[in-house]
Amino acid sequence: MPEHTFRVNGEQVTVDVAGDVRLLWVLRDILGITGPKYGCGINVCKACTSHINGRAVNPCAIPVKDLRPTDEVTTIEGLPATVGEDLHPMQQAWLDHDVAQCGYCQPGQIMAAVALVRRVAAEGREITDADLDGLRNICRCGTYFRIREAVKAGAENM
Amino acid sequence: MTAGSNGGLDEAIGRRRFLGYVLAAPTLVAAAELAPPAPAADARLPSPELTELLDLTDVMTAAALPTSGLISVEVNPDGTVSFALPRVEVGQGITTSTAMLIAEELAVPLERVRVTLADARPELVFNQLTGGSNTTIATYTPIRVAAAIARLRLLAAAAAELGSAVTDLTMKAGMIIDRSGGGIDIGALAEKAASTKTRQVAVELTPRGNFAVIGRPHNRIDALDAVTGRKKFTMDLDIPAAKPTMVCRPPTINGTVGSVANLAEVRTMPGVTDVVVISTGVAVRAETFGQCIDAVRALKVSWKPGTAEGKSDESVLRELEAAELPLGLRPPAPTVEGKFTFYFRSNSALEPNCAVADVRADCAEIWAALKSPIVAQRTIAAKLGLPPSRVAVHVTEGGGSFGRKLFFDAALEAAEVSQKIGKPVKLMWHRADDSRQGRTHPMATSRVRVAYAGGTVLSYKQRHTSVSTDLGHGLGEIITAMAARLPVGDIGFSQTFFHLSQAMSYRFGASSQLLSETDKGFNTGSMRNVYSPDVTCARELIVDQLAARMGKDPYRFRHDFLRDDRSRAVLAKVAEAGGWGRPMPVGTAQGIAFHAEYKAVSAALVEIDCRPETVNRPIRDGVTGPRVTKAVFAVDVGLAVNPRGLEAQVMGCIMDGIALALTSSLHLDNGHFLEASWDNYFYTRQWNTPPELQIIIMPSTSEEPGGAGELGVAASMAAVACAYGRATGTMPTSFPINHGTLSFVPKPTVPPIPQSPADGLNGAR
Ligand code: FES
Ligand code: FES
């Protein structure tokens, strides 16, 4: 079987699996990295949101063969290390606002929020209500309002 | 947010003593037996309104009493305190509120309390069912009694250790401190306080006026795990050899397998280990879920018809019409009437149906988030041909429930597959399966007629007609088992349930609310708040009409007709906080609604924007529609153990109410539901979320805690519907209001699940 090499949360990994298997399953079923959740498998719910080279992606829609050896995949598990802390400021904001209910969507929500804040900062502006409206991640527990508050608070400390 | 306390009540009632046990064990284990006597037993019936004296909460709490004594609190030598909660955490925050009860009685920091979920314990009979917003109500006293007994034992052990009288000791932050300031950690006392014999102990609980933990807002104890990805859901468990498994499902609801043309071929696909026909379809086990998806899509199956062949929204509507109970003769007075339609809705959680099963020749082990684990254990054992004692059922934390996890469809399937192939499986439903073959809130109609004369309402009649709600998960058994003690005679349990959950909160003269059900061909269940959102929405819309007819303001009218101060207080609160009656631009409006249930009262005020520029704002693959721009909600549940948790539940309920009123439904077409994705089924998204939200927890008026997991849905849905009616000038009669417009292209039913896209890198943002 073909081998695929890329980086996950700061480590180089090599997996032996068919190239069209989507990254979500490589992470979860082969590497045992279960932070990214399955909620649809068709790039809609955003529960699997992770980062590749710092930008938000949905691993359920990425064939593993598309990754290059230098590509850095960051899942929720690896997020704190990107700032050299035990918790990323966005995770801290999530705790401060007691956002999580069942928690199933929250890794994806946090990863999407971090990428949004970075994008908005790169554009040299503040987060707007329209930016928050544009977050597509489903939360079936309906934590949306606390998510909005936490994203704004997390942005302050990023 | 305010959370009141009322120490005076304790004195008025007097300090009650409760009995419990210290169990024989190497470390301190205290157990509780007694809870307040069942109020249901000798309830009389002075009024036709059943719900006033005996609501569903009473029935469930009473049923739980005989076995409550089996729950135990254990103090460990490392200073932690453990408790196995015979309920399931699915996001409602009960592990946190439970830890708070223990922390209160034992004066330990919350971080030291370890709440786990108990495996299925058949000896608990009815006391292991999570539902009806009942957990806090049923466990509030027994858990505190167990913890209080542990406290007594620790104090006695500390007294011996420190050479001090018990009365000279205080407990603080997990330490027991004497007058001289010397202290000892409870962990150091855990073994000394243990008992070699099981014995009964009487104890007093901390009086309400002294509460330091209960009634104060607290963040969730599992929050850190949730935000770091460490929280383990069923599919995250590492059970040896349990490989990904999915099921190829029929194109119509509950269809079954006729024959499979290419079983052998699919078995040779990359990663696939097994393919087997089961009662619900064709199961595939593979190295990854991605390879399961490929295999499911490759299967060539000929299907036999299901249980809703050929049915559609229109045909079910006709069935409902035929089943509708008559409203009776029109009274000789002016009337207001309305008929409302509520389409099927999905109670899918974000975590799809899933379970892990390892079935061997003579035993089985199951892992799943189960709200009725005892019923699950019994049913799975019967299916496998094993005695229940040989089936271990582990309850895992669930990624949402909304009624879905009262059932154990995936656990039963996983057990069947594992037995057939002789290997452990990690079975998960695809999102499309969960939406199309999963449980639903049944389609229903509600017909209301109110008669009035002058300033008086003479009568209120409501006839709710629904596709059958499947209550066969244990909740039904509870009510059936308690039926002899209920003043409702021998009517079936769904009618009983309906009666018990619907209160008539207004002084509307002679009132009658009846349920009739039809068609058991659908996979239904008790979706969050069950009948109440629809029933309340219909009623509150008619109340608005009635107020207009009687020349009154909708808020004033409700205030005048509500029965008690507690109800009026929540309504007045939202009117005041939400600025009821403020001038609003054309095309926007406020709506207000009230709902009482679970020994709680609630009111919602919302503002909605129905102007074209808002309704038509562009969002890719989403329903925008009218926007709720503000929501204000007031709730009085009695004692709120954790006001921050209650606020979270109400927030979720508001999002549900918005979805039910405006955007979320399933379209039934030719025996199947069209929705197969979160971009088909329009649950509230960020772009539908009210930018302004205020939740007010009323100062408590009761000594006992109230349930809250679903309470807020009904008033929220109703207030949104009322606001929509006032903004557009037309009372909506069909829900959700966008149901008539199909806002997506339906996915094929064969193959039953869509392939994952492969262009994910292009979307990097
Ligand atoms: S699972 Fe990847 S977006 Fe839903
Ligand atoms: S917290 Fe449960 S889905 Fe978001």
Side-chain angles (χ1 to χ4, degrees):
Chain A
M1 235 185 288
E3 290 199 340
H4 308 278
T5 298
F6 52 97
R7 299 177 61 76
V8 181
N9 298 332
E11 277 180 45
Q12 197 75 36
V13 295
T14 299
V15 291
D16 199 3
V17 69
D20 62 346
V21 173
R22 306 301 189 266
L23 176 60
L24 179 60
W25 311 121
V26 172
L27 292 171
R28 290 185 55 88
D29 300 342
I30 297 176
L31 297 172
I33 299 170
T34 55
K37 301 296 181 224
Y38 167 86
C40 72
I42 53 170
N43 204 349
V44 161
C45 75
K46 307 293 176 183
C48 66
T49 305
S50 301
H51 295 168
I52 289 186
N53 306 326
R55 303 210 296 164
V57 292
N58 289 93
C60 68
I62 300 173
V64 65
K65 66 171 183 294
D66 287 4
L67 295 182
R68 294 163 303 188
T70 52
D71 282 333
E72 177 73 55
V73 177
T74 307
T75 69
I76 189 74
E77 288 93 338
L79 183 65
T82 62
V83 291
E85 302 281 342
D86 288 342
L87 281 180
H88 187 277
M90 196 58 79
Q91 291 171 307
Q92 186 58 50
W94 242 251
L95 293 180
D96 295 343
H97 289 263
D98 203 32
V99 175
Q101 288 191 27
C102 81
Y104 196 83
C105 73
Q106 303 298 350
Q109 301 277 8
I110 291 168
M111 296 307 279
V114 169
L116 171 67
V117 172
R118 284 187 192 146
R119 194 161 70 238
V120 165
E123 291 168 17
R125 58 184 186 85
E126 303 267 295
I127 295 236
T128 62
D129 268 341
D131 291 324
L132 296 170
D133 281 3
L135 286 169
R136 296 190 70 92
N137 300 55
I138 295 271
C139 176
R140 185 61 182 80
C141 297
T143 64
Y144 296 113
F145 187 79
R146 285 189 183 174
I147 288 173
R148 294 171 93 92
E149 309 257 279
V151 175
K152 286 184 260 182
E156 303 270 300
N157 296 318
M158 266 175 70
Chain B
M1 187 165 69
T2 49
S5 75
N6 181 354
L9 265 176
D10 279 306
E11 280 72 358
I13 294 172
R15 299 284 296 278
R16 275 192 296 177
R17 287 165 76 78
F18 294 90
L19 290 173
Y21 296 94
V22 186
L23 303 184
T27 182
L28 173 58
V29 182
E33 179 183 60
L34 200 65
D42 53 15
R44 294 219 310 267
L45 196 58
S47 115
E49 275 306 323
L50 264 177
T51 48
E52 284 175 2
L53 54 113
L54 179 60
D55 68 11
L56 181 63
T57 308
D58 281 320
V59 177
M60 291 185 62
T61 309
L65 287 181
T67 56
S68 295
L70 299 177
I71 59 176
S72 60
V73 168
E74 182 167 349
V75 180
N76 306 304
D78 65 358
T80 59
V81 180
S82 334
F83 179 72
L85 179 66
R87 290 288 188 279
V88 61
E89 171 68 56
V90 290
Q92 75 281 47
I94 55 173
T95 51
T96 303
S97 57
T98 295
M100 288 174 70
L101 302 181
I102 294 168
E104 180 72 76
E105 290 297 338
L106 271 175
V108 289
L110 213 54
E111 304 76 63
R112 286 220 219 161
V113 184
R114 307 265 180 276
V115 178
T116 54
L117 307 181
D119 285 355
R121 296 175 56 190
E123 74 281 8
L124 290 183
V125 197
F126 291 132
N127 205 357
Q128 199 171 3
L129 184 108
T130 313
S133 292
N134 170 268
T135 297
T136 306
I137 297 170
T139 59
Y140 179 66
T141 301
I143 291 173
R144 287 161 62 223
V145 169
I149 288 170
R151 179 189 65 209
L152 282 189
R153 295 285 301 185
L154 288 168
L155 283 170
E161 203 68 10
L162 297 168
S164 174
V166 166
T167 46
D168 288 341
L169 298 175
T170 52
M171 294 185 85
K172 203 174 170 190
M175 301 280 291
I176 297 180
I177 300 156
D178 65 15
R179 286 217 160 149
S180 68
I184 182 163
D185 191 275
I186 59 165
L189 296 165
E191 283 160 11
K192 298 191 175 77
S195 180
T196 50
K197 279 192 300 203
T198 292
R199 45 171 87 135
Q200 203 169 37
V201 181
V203 75
E204 284 179 3
L205 299 179
T206 301
R208 175 141 181 206
N210 296 354
F211 281 174
V213 182
I214 296 173
R216 291 171 198 247
H218 210 287
N219 286 3
R220 292 176 56 121
I221 58 172
D222 53 354
L224 183 63
D225 284 350
V227 303
T228 51
R230 291 200 283 265
K231 184 165 175 175
K232 292 276 179 255
F233 299 91
T234 307
M235 292 293 96
D236 303 336
L237 299 176
D238 189 15
I239 310 294
K243 289 196 193 295
T245 303
M246 274 187 167
V247 176
C248 178
R249 295 178 197 279
T252 59
I253 294 168
N254 299 331
T256 53
V257 177
S259 60
V260 188
N262 61 345
L263 268 184
E265 200 181 307
V266 173
R267 281 195 184 111
T268 65
M269 286 178 69
V272 173
T273 65
D274 301 84
V275 185
V276 65
V277 174
I278 59 167
S279 44
T280 49
V282 185
V284 174
R285 180 174 175 272
E287 298 298 329
T288 68
F289 277 109
Q291 290 157 325
C292 290
I293 292 173
D294 293 343
V296 165
R297 288 176 53 81
L299 280 164
K300 295 200 180 355
V301 186
S302 77
W303 297 97
K304 293 197 255 186
T307 55
E309 273 327 274
K311 291 189 179 174
S312 62
D313 283 345
E314 300 74 44
S315 71
V316 175
L317 202 53
R318 285 196 297 276
E319 284 183 68
L320 291 172
E321 247 153 42
E324 191 178 303
L325 296 173
L327 274 171
L329 287 181
R330 199 181 293 275
T335 58
V336 177
E337 265 189 64
K339 180 170 174 179
F340 305 88
T341 303
F342 304 92
Y343 288 96
F344 283 102
R345 284 141 288 177
S346 167
N347 66 355
S348 281
L350 187 55
E351 173 193 46
N353 288 345
C354 58
V356 176
D358 183 356
V359 179
R360 309 288 170 97
D362 59 345
C363 64
E365 220 171 338
I366 310 287
W367 293 259
L370 298 166
K371 285 185 146 197
S372 53
I374 298 170
V375 185
Q377 181 187 44
R378 212 173 49 204
T379 313
I380 291 167
K383 176 127 194 161
L384 297 176
L386 290 172
S389 59
R390 300 297 296 159
V391 179
V393 172
H394 309 293
V395 179
T396 55
E397 300 206 50
S401 169
F402 322 109
R404 178 64 71 88
K405 290 184 167 72
L406 283 162
F407 294 89
F408 41 90
D409 301 315
L412 196 58
E413 250 177 3
E416 183 183 353
V417 179
S418 179
Q419 187 177 47
K420 283 207 165 123
I421 65 175
K423 296 172 193 168
V425 298
K426 178 184 268 196
L427 182 140
M428 183 172 82
W429 289 35
H430 193 278
R431 173 58 49 202
D433 300 331
D434 213 70
S435 189
R436 284 182 161 159
Q437 301 281 354
R439 304 270 165 182
T440 64
H441 185 298
M443 187 168 163
T445 60
S446 219
R447 187 132 183 241
V448 184
R449 179 191 287 159
V450 193
Y452 65 98
T456 310
V457 179
L458 303 173
S459 65
Y460 178 93
K461 286 185 176 175
Q462 186 160 12
R463 300 291 176 261
H464 198 71
T465 315
S466 178
V467 165
S468 289
T469 299
D470 186 350
L471 297 172
H473 44 63
L475 196 59
E477 289 166 48
I478 284 186
I479 293 178
T480 305
M482 297 298 290
R485 297 171 61 183
L486 290 175
V488 292
D490 57 356
I491 58 175
F493 60 64
S494 41
Q495 283 81 355
T496 309
F497 188 104
F498 181 78
H499 272 277
L500 293 177
S501 59
Q502 303 309 316
M504 175 36 82
S505 308
Y506 298 106
R507 288 181 291 101
F508 278 177
S511 110
S512 82
Q513 298 178 89
L514 298 176
L515 169 73
S516 67
E517 293 194 325
T518 181
D519 199 335
K520 292 195 189 319
F522 294 94
N523 302 322
T524 60
S526 307
M527 183 157 154
R528 198 177 197 178
N529 217 191
V530 201
Y531 301 106
S532 301
D534 297 352
V535 170
T536 304
C537 181
R539 184 194 69 213
E540 293 294 300
L541 283 164
I542 289 294
V543 166
D544 267 8
Q545 300 287 308
L546 192 59
R549 208 69 92 66
M550 293 168 74
K552 288 199 183 179
D553 167 82
Y555 160 61
R556 278 283 19 129
F557 178 89
R558 286 177 172 81
H559 198 269
D560 289 350
F561 280 90
L562 280 173
R563 285 179 191 269
D564 57 51
D565 290 344
R566 204 173 156 227
S567 301
R568 282 187 287 273
V570 286
L571 190 76
K573 192 75 199 172
V574 294
E576 178 212 312
W580 173 259
R582 76 184 185 91
M584 306 243 329
V586 177
T588 71
Q590 295 178 317
I592 193 164
F594 174 86
H595 175 64
E597 193 173 341
Y598 308 118
K599 299 182 183 300
V601 292
S602 66
L605 179 151
V606 306
E607 293 185 359
I608 201 167
D609 184 345
C610 300
R611 294 175 293 189
E613 60 270 31
T614 299
V615 172
N616 302 320
R617 68 199 187 279
I619 293 279
R620 170 179 66 81
D621 295 333
V623 165
T624 48
R627 177 112 189 225
V628 174
T629 51
K630 175 165 102 177
V632 180
F633 202 100
V635 61
D636 177 351
V637 297
L639 176 62
V641 172
N642 181 7
R644 186 165 297 146
L646 173 59
E647 198 183 69
Q649 288 303 297
V650 171
M651 175 177 54
C653 288
I654 292 170
M655 302 308 159
D656 280 22
I658 291 171
L660 293 176
L662 301 179
T663 55
S664 72
S665 59
L666 294 167
H667 292 78
L668 180 66
D669 182 47
N670 199 16
H672 75 283
F673 291 116
L674 298 181
E675 281 73 7
S677 149
W678 290 112
D679 275 354
N680 299 171
Y681 185 77
F682 301 106
Y683 181 70
T684 302
R685 303 281 278 265
Q686 279 294 4
W687 56 85
N688 310 112
T689 298
E692 249 187 277
L693 179 75
Q694 192 184 355
I695 294 160
I696 301 154
I697 312 293
M698 299 293 278
S700 169
T701 52
S702 160
E703 184 69 6
E704 294 294 326
E710 41 191 338
L711 168 77
V713 183
S716 303
M717 179 189 187
V720 174
C722 289
Y724 179 83
R726 298 181 78 228
T728 59
T730 311
M731 177 176 74
T733 55
S734 169
F735 294 93
I737 55 135
N738 79 322
H739 185 81
T741 314
L742 196 66
S743 310
F744 61 94
V745 180
K747 296 189 192 306
T749 53
V750 179
I753 59 177
Q755 185 52 278
S756 297
D759 61 353
L761 276 184
N762 302 342
R765 334 183 49 205

